[in-house]
Coordinates of all heavy atoms in Angstrom, one line a residue:
Y7 N -6.7 20.6 7.5 CA -6.4 20.1 6.2 C -7.4 20.6 5.1 O -7.0 21.1 4.1 CB -6.3 18.6 6.1 CG -5.8 18.1 4.8 CD1 -4.5 17.9 4.5 CD2 -6.8 17.8 3.8 CE1 -4.1 17.4 3.3 CE2 -6.3 17.3 2.5 CZ -5.0 17.1 2.3 OH -4.6 16.7 1.1
V8 N -8.6 20.5 5.4 CA -9.7 20.9 4.5 C -9.6 22.4 4.3 O -9.8 23.0 3.2 CB -11.1 20.4 4.9 CG1 -12.2 21.1 4.1 CG2 -11.2 18.9 4.8
R9 N -9.4 23.2 5.4 CA -9.3 24.6 5.3 C -8.2 25.1 4.4 O -8.3 26.0 3.7 CB -9.2 25.3 6.7 CG -10.5 25.2 7.4 CD -10.4 25.9 8.8 NE -11.6 25.7 9.5 CZ -11.6 25.3 10.8 NH1 -10.5 25.1 11.5 NH2 -12.8 25.1 11.4
R10 N -7.1 24.3 4.5 CA -5.9 24.7 3.7 C -6.0 24.2 2.3 O -5.6 25.0 1.4 CB -4.7 24.0 4.4 CG -3.4 24.7 4.3 CD -2.3 24.1 5.2 NE -2.3 22.7 5.5 CZ -2.6 22.2 6.7 NH1 -2.9 23.0 7.7 NH2 -2.6 20.9 6.9
H11 N -6.5 23.0 2.0 CA -6.5 22.5 0.7 C -7.9 22.5 0.0 O -7.9 22.3 -1.2 CB -6.0 21.0 0.7 CG -4.6 20.9 1.3 ND1 -3.5 21.2 0.5 CD2 -4.2 20.5 2.5 CE1 -2.4 21.0 1.3 NE2 -2.8 20.6 2.4
G12 N -8.9 22.7 0.7 CA -10.3 22.8 0.1 C -10.8 21.5 -0.4 O -11.7 21.4 -1.2
A13 N -10.1 20.4 0.0 CA -10.6 19.0 -0.5 C -10.3 18.0 0.6 O -9.5 18.3 1.6 CB -9.8 18.7 -1.7
L14 N -10.9 16.9 0.5 CA -10.6 15.8 1.5 C -9.3 15.2 1.2 O -8.8 15.1 0.1 CB -11.7 14.7 1.3 CG -13.1 15.1 1.8 CD1 -14.1 14.0 1.4 CD2 -13.2 15.4 3.3
P15 N -8.6 14.8 2.3 CA -7.3 14.1 2.1 C -7.5 12.7 1.4 O -8.5 12.1 1.7 CB -6.7 14.0 3.5 CG -7.9 14.0 4.4 CD -9.0 14.8 3.7
G16 N -6.6 12.3 0.6 CA -6.6 11.0 0.0 C -6.3 9.9 1.1 O -5.8 10.2 2.2
V17 N -6.5 8.7 0.7 CA -6.3 7.6 1.7 C -4.8 7.6 2.1 O -4.4 7.4 3.2 CB -6.7 6.2 1.0 CG1 -6.3 5.1 1.9 CG2 -8.2 6.2 0.8
R18 N -3.9 7.7 1.1 CA -2.5 7.7 1.3 C -2.1 8.8 2.3 O -1.3 8.6 3.2 CB -1.7 7.8 0.0 CG -0.2 7.7 0.2 CD 0.5 7.8 -1.1 NE 1.7 7.1 -1.0 CZ 2.3 6.5 -2.1 NH1 1.7 6.6 -3.3 NH2 3.4 5.9 -1.9
R19 N -2.6 10.0 2.1 CA -2.3 11.2 3.0 C -2.9 10.9 4.4 O -2.2 11.2 5.4 CB -3.0 12.4 2.4 CG -2.8 13.6 3.3 CD -1.4 14.1 3.3 NE -1.3 15.3 4.2 CZ -0.6 15.2 5.3 NH1 0.1 14.2 5.7 NH2 -0.5 16.3 6.1
A20 N -4.0 10.3 4.5 CA -4.6 10.1 5.8 C -3.8 9.0 6.6 O -3.5 9.2 7.8 CB -6.1 9.6 5.7
W21 N -3.3 8.0 5.9 CA -2.5 7.0 6.6 C -1.1 7.6 6.9 O -0.6 7.2 8.0 CB -2.4 5.7 5.8 CG -3.6 4.8 6.0 CD1 -4.6 4.6 5.1 CD2 -3.9 4.1 7.2 NE1 -5.5 3.7 5.6 CE2 -5.2 3.4 6.9 CE3 -3.4 4.0 8.4 CZ2 -5.8 2.7 7.8 CZ3 -4.0 3.2 9.4 CH2 -5.2 2.5 9.1
S22 N -0.6 8.4 6.1 CA 0.7 9.0 6.3 C 0.6 9.9 7.6 O 1.4 9.8 8.5 CB 1.1 9.9 5.2 OG 2.2 10.6 5.4
F23 N -0.5 10.7 7.7 CA -0.8 11.5 8.9 C -0.9 10.5 10.1 O -0.3 10.9 11.2 CB -2.1 12.3 8.7 CG -2.5 12.9 10.0 CD1 -1.9 14.2 10.4 CD2 -3.3 12.3 10.9 CE1 -2.3 14.8 11.6 CE2 -3.7 12.9 12.1 CZ -3.1 14.1 12.4
A24 N -1.6 9.4 10.0 CA -1.8 8.5 11.1 C -0.5 8.0 11.6 O -0.3 7.9 12.8 CB -2.8 7.4 10.7
F25 N 0.4 7.5 10.7 CA 1.7 7.0 11.2 C 2.6 8.0 11.8 O 3.2 7.7 12.9 CB 2.4 6.3 10.0 CG 1.8 4.9 9.7 CD1 1.1 4.7 8.6 CD2 2.0 3.8 10.6 CE1 0.5 3.5 8.3 CE2 1.5 2.6 10.3 CZ 0.7 2.4 9.2
I26 N 2.7 9.2 11.2 CA 3.5 10.2 11.8 C 2.9 10.7 13.1 O 3.6 10.9 14.1 CB 3.8 11.4 10.9 CG1 4.5 10.9 9.7 CG2 4.5 12.5 11.5 CD1 4.6 11.9 8.5
G27 N 1.6 10.8 13.2 CA 0.9 11.2 14.4 C 1.1 10.2 15.5 O 1.2 10.6 16.7
T28 N 1.1 9.0 15.1 CA 1.3 7.9 16.1 C 2.7 8.0 16.8 O 2.9 7.9 18.0 CB 1.2 6.5 15.5 OG1 -0.2 6.4 15.1 CG2 1.5 5.4 16.4
L29 N 3.7 8.3 15.9 CA 5.1 8.5 16.5 C 5.1 9.7 17.4 O 5.7 9.7 18.5 CB 6.1 8.7 15.3 CG 6.3 7.5 14.5 CD1 7.2 7.9 13.3 CD2 7.0 6.4 15.3
V30 N 4.5 10.8 17.0 CA 4.4 12.0 17.8 C 3.7 11.8 19.1 O 4.2 12.1 20.2 CB 3.8 13.2 17.1 CG1 3.6 14.4 18.0 CG2 4.7 13.6 15.9
A31 N 2.5 11.2 19.1 CA 1.7 10.9 20.2 C 2.4 9.9 21.2 O 2.4 10.1 22.4 CB 0.3 10.3 19.8
T32 N 3.0 8.9 20.7 CA 3.7 7.9 21.5 C 4.9 8.6 22.2 O 5.2 8.4 23.4 CB 4.2 6.7 20.7 OG1 3.0 6.2 20.0 CG2 4.8 5.7 21.5
S33 N 5.6 9.5 21.5 CA 6.7 10.2 22.1 C 6.2 11.1 23.2 O 6.9 11.2 24.3 CB 7.5 11.0 21.1 OG 8.0 10.2 20.1
L34 N 5.1 11.8 23.0 CA 4.6 12.7 24.0 C 4.1 11.8 25.2 O 4.2 12.3 26.3 CB 3.4 13.5 23.4 CG 3.9 14.6 22.4 CD1 2.7 15.2 21.7 CD2 4.7 15.6 23.0
N35 N 3.5 10.7 24.9 CA 3.1 9.8 26.0 C 4.3 9.4 26.9 O 4.1 9.4 28.1 CB 2.5 8.5 25.4 CG 1.8 7.6 26.4 OD1 2.2 7.5 27.5 ND2 0.7 7.0 25.9
V36 N 5.4 9.0 26.3 CA 6.6 8.7 27.1 C 7.0 9.9 27.9 O 7.4 9.8 29.1 CB 7.7 8.1 26.2 CG1 9.0 8.0 27.0 CG2 7.3 6.8 25.6
A37 N 7.1 11.1 27.3 CA 7.5 12.3 28.0 C 6.6 12.6 29.2 O 7.0 12.9 30.3 CB 7.5 13.5 27.0
L38 N 5.2 12.4 29.0 CA 4.3 12.6 30.1 C 4.4 11.6 31.2 O 4.2 11.9 32.3 CB 2.9 12.7 29.5 CG 2.5 13.9 28.8 CD1 1.1 13.8 28.1 CD2 2.4 15.1 29.7
A39 N 4.8 10.4 30.8 CA 4.9 9.3 31.7 C 6.0 9.6 32.7 O 5.9 9.2 33.9 CB 5.2 8.0 31.0
Y40 N 7.1 10.2 32.3 CA 8.2 10.5 33.1 C 8.2 11.9 33.7 O 9.2 12.3 34.4 CB 9.5 10.1 32.4 CG 9.6 8.6 32.2 CD1 9.3 8.1 31.0 CD2 10.0 7.8 33.3 CE1 9.4 6.7 30.8 CE2 10.0 6.4 33.1 CZ 9.7 5.9 31.9 OH 9.8 4.5 31.7
A41 N 7.2 12.7 33.3 CA 7.2 14.1 33.8 C 6.7 14.2 35.2 O 6.9 15.2 35.9 CB 6.2 14.9 32.9
G42 N 6.2 13.1 35.7 CA 5.8 13.1 37.1 C 4.3 12.9 37.3 O 3.5 13.3 36.4

């Protein structure tokens, strides 16, 4: 993010990333759980 934008992310951007990242990570967790 810093390399791309040259600035720190705002609080809103950080929480937005966190919520979407949580959905992605949880989905990957479920996929790995049933992968064997």
Side-chain angles (χ1 to χ4, degrees):
Y7 183 90
V8 169
R9 288 184 186 133
R10 214 172 24 255
H11 299 284
L14 292 173
V17 173
R18 184 180 209 152
R19 175 70 181 116
W21 278 109
S22 175
F23 171 85
F25 281 108
I26 296 170
T28 297
L29 292 174
V30 172
T32 303
S33 299
L34 292 171
N35 188 325
V36 171
L38 286 171
Y40 292 100

